[in-house]
């Protein structure tokens, strides 16, 4: 048998570079190799003998230099070498910065919902500014690619990077809920927005756009369900972790047979999962707006809207009314339009009309169209009550808005408002108008009718929020675990609730830190596994479709009359970059992109 000989490994035997070799032989180390400062030759092996041989054979005359003259020569050669290296590395650095600038500007265009073609205008501005502020850098600014196609490609790269990060994060979700809402864009194409709210084992929550689906055909429950399943598969989300589903209450969403919710429940049954564990919710903000519509003082709204339309829908009337307000030194400059779709506009419209009621009466009489209601004390009392009650309803609506709100917090705000309604009902039955300052200013003879309006609101709130209130005990266990009776909670939680309530230190922590931080830091999985899992589930649930409504506002701005031909894929990519809280990794994208001058 032939003996096998091992190949000699030079790298393993190579000694490290010694600083004295620079002074002795005019060599420095560059990327692990010895480089001659005089001629620039790079030797293969870092050995003293090789360096000495090269120095003796090619640069023996340098032996005459000694002392400070030798050090000056070495320093001068080192500076020369550094300049040569910089000449090669700087262009590479500049190219990376040019590409990165292209990504940063494209990201800003997407976040500001601007057309992609504006990249070219931005480049013109950058070059013009550079000519004045940094003339030596003008060529760099000119080499930044910001054409319409490039901006579109950059936004696509950014969106795909965000999607990749979201997909990786979704793998860590312990529970997630979905918010689904539908709108129609400028081209009458139905757009289904699906948002996900996921929570990790460390109680880190994330609300992100899952997908925007253009519904070119029908928008039945089956179609919505099919798109929902595809969105979940794209990000590898499973029904086993689905904790809740919130919708806008449209028939295609809530139909008992073929609606989206019923089809999701059928899918859970097919997977041998309990559909009753799924938290179904109709958007609380939408429900509150529907409750507000139960106010029956129709004579007030019809008269107010009729007067406003007469004044503002005719250009000459509007100008004359403004002149009248100016002559009377009115505090306000004009009336406010009403929008039936937006309940918050009712408050502003009624309040402004009430403040300008005398001016409106005078203007209508001047136009030969007197409004009898404006001199009717009973009608003015009705108007004053509507001003006050819409103010309270609008304040509640605003409190319910905002991202990352817990369902328990939203329900507590609704329950608090119901308690106020009951108080107002009792007080109005006794002619007490303390909490209705505008109505009090009209000095009504009786307020029983307004007490009945409060009763109608109470009935509407009870009816519309009964589904959410059915989960009140579970929400109380999550939000106020120290206040629930152990006997009233589910059997699997009773022992842990008793153990929790017996711990004074945990009670002190609960009162001093935010709720999710309390569960994250102090409710360990070893001591309270069931309670912690219960908290993860209810912390992951959407309470409103606020994220969808906010998203649709941006969709309307993006796909406008001037950009109606924006294709579906580009629309989704731009809106993902514009709405996501996940930052794209621009540095990595820059390194992967080849520079094209």
């Amino acid at each position: 048998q032939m003996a096998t000989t091992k190949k000699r490994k030079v790298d393993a035997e190579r000694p490290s570079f010694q600083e004295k070799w620079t002074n002795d032989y005019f060599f420095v180390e560059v990327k692990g190799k010895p480089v001659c400062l005089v001629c620039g030759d790079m030797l293969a092996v870092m050995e003293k003998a090789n360096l000495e041989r090269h120095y003796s054979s090619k640069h023996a005359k340098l032996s005459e230099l000694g002392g400070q003259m030798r050090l000056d020569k070495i320093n001068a050669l080192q500076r020369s070498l550094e300049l040569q290296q910089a000449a090669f590395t700087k262009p590479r650095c500049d190219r990376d910065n040019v590409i990165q600038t292209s990504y940063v500007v494209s990201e800003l265009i997407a976040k500001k919902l601007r057309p992609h073609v504006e990249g070219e205008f931005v480049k013109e501005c950058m070059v013009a500014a550079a000519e004045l502020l940094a003339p030596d850098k003008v060529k760099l600014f000119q080499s930044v690619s910001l054409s319409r196609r490039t901006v579109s490609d950059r936004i696509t790269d950014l969106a795909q990077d965000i999607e990749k990060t979201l997909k990786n994060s979704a793998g860590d979700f312990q529970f997630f809920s979905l918010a689904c809402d539908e709108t129609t864009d400028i081209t009458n194409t139905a757009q289904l927005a699906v948002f996900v709210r996921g929570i990790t084992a460390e109680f880190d929550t994330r609300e992100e756009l899952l997908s925007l689906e253009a519904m070119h055909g029908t928008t039945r429950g089956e179609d919505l369900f099919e798109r929902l399943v595809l969105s979940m598969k794209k990000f590898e989300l499973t029904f086993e972790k689905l904790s809740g589903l919130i919708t806008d209450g449209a028939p295609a969403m809530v139909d008992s047979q073929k609606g989206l919710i019923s089809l999701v429940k059928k899918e859970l049954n097919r997977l041998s999962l309990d559909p009753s564990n799924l938290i179904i919710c109709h958007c609380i903000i939408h429900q509150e707006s529907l409750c507000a519509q139960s106010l029956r003082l129709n004579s007030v709204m019809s008269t107010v809207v009729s007067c406003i339309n007469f004044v503002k829908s005719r250009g000459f009337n509007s100008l004359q009314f403004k002149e009248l307000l100016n002559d009377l030194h009115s505090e306000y400059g004009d009336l406010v339009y009403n929008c039936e779709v937006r309940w918050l506009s009712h408050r502003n419209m009624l309040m402004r009309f009430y403040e300008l009621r005398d001016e409106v009466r005078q203007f209508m009489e001047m136009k030969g169209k007197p409004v009898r209601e404006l001199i009717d004390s009973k009608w003015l009392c009705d108007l004053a009550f509507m001003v006050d009650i819409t103010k309270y309803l609008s304040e509640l609506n605003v409190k319910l808005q905002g991202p990352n709100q817990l369902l328990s917090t939203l329900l507590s705000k609704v329950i608090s408002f119901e308690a106020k309604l009951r108080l107002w009902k009792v007080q109005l039955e006794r002619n007490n108008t303390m909490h209705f300052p505008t109505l009090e200013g009209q000095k009504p003879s009786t307020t029983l009718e307004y007490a009945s309006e409060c009763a109608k609101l109470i009935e509407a709130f009870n009816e519309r929020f009964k589904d959410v209130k059915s989960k009140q005990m579970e929400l109380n266990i999550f939000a106020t675990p120290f206040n629930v009776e152990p006997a009233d909670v589910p059997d699997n939680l009773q022992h842990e609730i008793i153990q929790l309530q017996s711990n004074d230190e945990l009670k002190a922590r609960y009162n001093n830190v935010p709720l999710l931080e309390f569960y994250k830091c102090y409710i360990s999985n070893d001591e309270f596994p069931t309670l912690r899992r219960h908290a993860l589930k209810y912390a992951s649930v959407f309470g409103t479709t606020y994220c969808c409504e906010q998203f649709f506002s941006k969709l309307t701005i993006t796909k406008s009359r001037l950009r109606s031909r924006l294709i579906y894929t580009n629309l989704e990519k731009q809106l993902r970059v514009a709405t996501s809280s996940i930052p794209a990794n621009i540095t990595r994208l820059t390194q992967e992109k080849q520079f094209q001058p």
Side-chain angles (χ1 to χ4, degrees):
Q1 186 178 359
M2 293 180 63
T4 57
T5 58
K6 289 188 177 180
K7 199 169 185 179
R8 179 169 169 261
K9 292 185 178 178
V10 176
D11 289 345
E13 302 172 2
R14 184 179 61 195
S16 60
F17 184 83
Q18 298 181 29
E19 292 184 4
K20 65 178 184 179
W21 293 347
T22 302
N23 187 64
D24 294 344
Y25 311 118
F26 283 76
F27 270 88
V28 291
E29 183 182 20
V30 177
K31 297 182 179 180
K33 298 287 186 178
V35 175
C36 179
L37 288 173
V38 182
C39 62
D41 285 355
M42 180 182 290
L43 304 186
V45 180
M46 191 177 295
E47 288 186 356
K48 180 182 176 181
N50 291 3
L51 275 63
E52 186 177 7
R53 187 184 308 114
H54 177 90
Y55 176 71
S56 302
S57 61
K58 294 188 177 183
H59 312 299
K61 290 183 180 181
L62 292 174
S63 300
E64 300 173 0
L65 295 175
Q68 187 60 41
M69 292 182 64
R70 190 177 184 88
L71 291 176
D72 292 343
K73 182 68 173 178
I74 290 172
N75 291 333
L77 291 172
Q78 281 183 318
R79 285 193 298 270
S80 177
L81 178 63
E82 289 170 0
L83 289 173
Q84 291 176 19
Q85 292 173 334
F88 290 101
T89 59
K90 188 176 179 181
R92 175 61 189 174
C93 180
D94 288 342
R95 290 197 295 269
D96 288 346
N97 290 338
V98 165
I99 297 172
Q100 189 167 352
T101 301
S102 177
Y103 272 109
V104 170
V105 173
S106 299
E107 184 180 41
L108 288 172
I109 289 172
K111 286 187 177 295
K112 298 299 181 182
L113 308 175
R114 306 304 302 171
H116 299 174
V117 72
E118 289 196 3
E120 297 172 359
F121 171 67
V122 172
K123 181 177 178 179
E124 287 181 20
C125 296
M126 290 165 55
V127 172
E131 287 174 347
L132 294 173
L133 301 175
D136 57 320
K137 301 288 185 181
V138 170
K139 287 188 177 180
L140 280 179
F141 284 93
Q142 290 174 338
S143 62
V144 178
S145 181
L146 288 172
S147 65
R148 179 184 58 80
R149 184 178 295 277
T150 299
V151 170
S152 179
D153 291 343
R154 296 285 190 261
I155 292 173
T156 298
D157 292 342
L158 294 167
Q160 289 175 347
D161 187 74
I162 292 171
E163 286 181 10
K164 183 179 178 181
T165 304
L166 177 59
K167 186 174 180 179
N168 293 335
S169 300
D172 297 328
F173 290 164
Q174 299 295 305
F175 289 98
F176 70 91
S177 64
L178 299 175
C180 303
D181 203 350
E182 186 187 348
T183 191
T184 304
D185 63 24
I186 192 72
T187 60
N188 291 323
T189 302
Q191 301 280 359
L192 173 68
V194 182
F195 274 76
V196 62
R197 176 184 170 92
I199 189 166
T200 67
E202 296 302 314
F203 283 87
D204 296 323
T205 59
R206 173 160 280 170
E207 285 185 12
E208 288 291 331
L209 172 69
L210 198 66
S211 69
L212 176 66
E213 302 288 341
M215 312 289 289
H216 294 290
T218 57
T219 56
R220 302 170 300 170
E222 296 95 323
D223 304 313
L224 302 180
F225 177 73
E226 179 184 351
R227 298 300 181 92
L228 182 70
V229 172
L230 289 174
S231 301
M232 290 175 61
K233 286 182 177 178
K234 179 179 178 181
F235 290 90
E236 298 179 1
L237 295 169
T238 62
F239 280 97
E240 286 78 7
K241 294 182 179 180
L242 181 63
S243 60
L245 181 62
I246 184 168
T247 68
D248 61 346
M253 300 280 188
V254 299
D255 185 78
S256 59
Q257 297 298 321
K258 295 184 178 180
L260 174 64
I261 292 174
S262 63
L263 293 173
V264 169
K265 288 182 175 180
K266 289 177 183 177
E267 180 66 14
L268 293 174
N269 270 324
R270 189 185 70 80
L271 297 172
S272 301
L273 300 171
D274 187 359
S276 63
N277 290 331
L278 185 68
I279 303 168
I280 304 296
C281 186
H282 181 177
C283 173
I284 290 179
I285 296 176
H286 188 213
Q287 293 278 58
E288 188 265 351
S289 297
L290 292 174
C291 289
Q293 294 177 15
S294 64
L295 292 169
R296 304 280 170 79
L297 296 174
N298 295 327
S299 63
V300 172
M301 292 300 296
S302 60
T303 302
V304 171
V305 171
S306 175
C307 290
I308 291 175
N309 287 344
F310 178 80
V311 173
K312 290 185 70 67
S313 62
R314 296 172 173 85
F316 186 63
N317 286 353
S318 180
L319 288 173
Q320 282 188 310
F321 185 69
K322 289 179 182 178
E323 286 293 330
L324 175 64
L325 295 179
N326 187 44
D327 293 342
L328 296 174
H329 303 290
S330 173
E331 180 182 352
Y332 301 102
D334 202 358
L335 294 168
V336 177
Y337 263 127
N338 175 55
C339 178
E340 286 296 332
V341 177
R342 301 180 184 276
W343 171 254
L344 290 178
S345 70
H346 287 45
R347 170 198 176 181
N348 297 331
M349 180 266 296
L350 289 170
M351 183 179 69
R352 182 67 62 85
F353 186 89
Y354 181 81
E355 295 292 338
L356 296 175
R357 62 191 183 281
D358 293 331
E359 290 85 345
V360 172
R361 177 182 57 78
Q362 184 177 339
F363 182 79
M364 297 299 284
E365 289 175 354
M366 185 177 70
K367 285 291 185 179
K369 293 183 177 293
V371 180
R372 289 182 293 108
E373 287 85 353
L374 291 173
I375 56 174
D376 183 353
S377 60
K378 172 63 173 64
W379 187 89
L380 289 173
C381 287
D382 292 348
L383 173 62
F385 171 76
M386 287 292 286
V387 170
D388 288 328
I389 197 67
T390 52
K391 172 179 176 289
Y392 288 126
L393 288 164
S394 296
E395 288 173 352
L396 173 62
N397 194 294
V398 171
K399 289 178 182 177
L400 297 175
Q401 295 179 26
N404 297 306
Q405 293 223 48
L406 297 173
L407 179 59
S408 56
T409 305
L410 295 168
L411 183 58
S412 67
K413 291 174 182 176
V414 171
I415 293 172
S416 173
F417 187 78
E418 289 179 341
K420 291 178 183 178
L421 282 173
R422 289 190 291 270
L423 172 66
W424 298 336
K425 174 178 174 293
V426 172
Q427 289 180 333
L428 289 171
E429 287 173 346
R430 300 171 183 170
N431 283 344
N432 182 349
T433 56
M434 176 182 176
H435 297 290
F436 292 84
T438 312
L439 178 61
E440 191 172 27
Q442 290 295 323
K443 296 180 173 56
S445 57
T446 178
T447 56
L448 287 175
E449 181 183 358
Y450 310 128
S452 66
E453 290 295 327
C454 289
K456 292 171 187 174
L457 279 174
I458 293 169
E459 183 181 349
F461 272 81
N462 286 332
E463 178 64 26
R464 291 199 171 274
F465 289 101
K466 62 183 180 182
D467 291 341
V468 182
K469 289 178 181 177
S470 66
K471 299 288 184 181
Q472 189 165 356
M473 174 52 72
E474 288 82 355
L475 289 169
N476 288 343
I477 294 170
F478 162 59
T480 57
F482 290 94
N483 296 338
V484 296
E485 284 294 329
D488 297 335
V489 307
D491 296 345
N492 62 336
L493 282 166
Q494 289 175 343
H495 284 179
E496 291 185 15
I497 289 293
I498 292 172
Q499 183 182 348
L500 178 73
Q501 294 178 351
S502 303
N503 192 320
D504 292 335
E505 184 179 350
L506 286 178
K507 191 169 186 178
R509 298 290 186 185
Y510 170 80
N511 292 325
N512 293 318
V513 298
L515 185 61
L516 294 188
E517 186 179 340
F518 169 73
Y519 277 104
K520 175 181 178 179
C521 300
Y522 302 108
I523 303 300
S524 67
N525 199 47
D526 295 332
E527 289 186 272
F528 306 98
T530 310
L531 179 61
R532 188 178 174 92
R533 186 168 178 80
H534 177 87
L536 285 169
K537 177 180 178 180
Y538 281 87
S540 69
V541 178
F542 277 109
T544 69
T545 56
Y546 173 83
C547 54
C548 297
E549 296 296 341
Q550 191 181 46
F551 178 81
F552 289 149
S553 297
K554 293 183 177 181
L555 187 151
T556 302
I557 296 171
T558 305
K559 192 170 183 179
S560 61
R561 180 176 58 84
L562 299 176
R563 300 180 70 194
S564 60
R565 295 180 65 186
L566 188 64
I567 62 174
Y568 155 70
T569 51
N570 285 346
L571 176 65
E572 184 189 29
K573 302 301 183 188
Q574 177 157 349
L575 288 172
R576 187 178 294 282
V577 175
T579 60
S580 179
S581 61
I582 301 173
N585 191 339
I586 294 179
T587 303
R588 183 180 61 79
L589 292 173
T590 300
Q591 293 170 352
E592 294 175 353
K593 190 66 64 175
Q594 183 178 1
F595 177 73
Q596 295 180 348

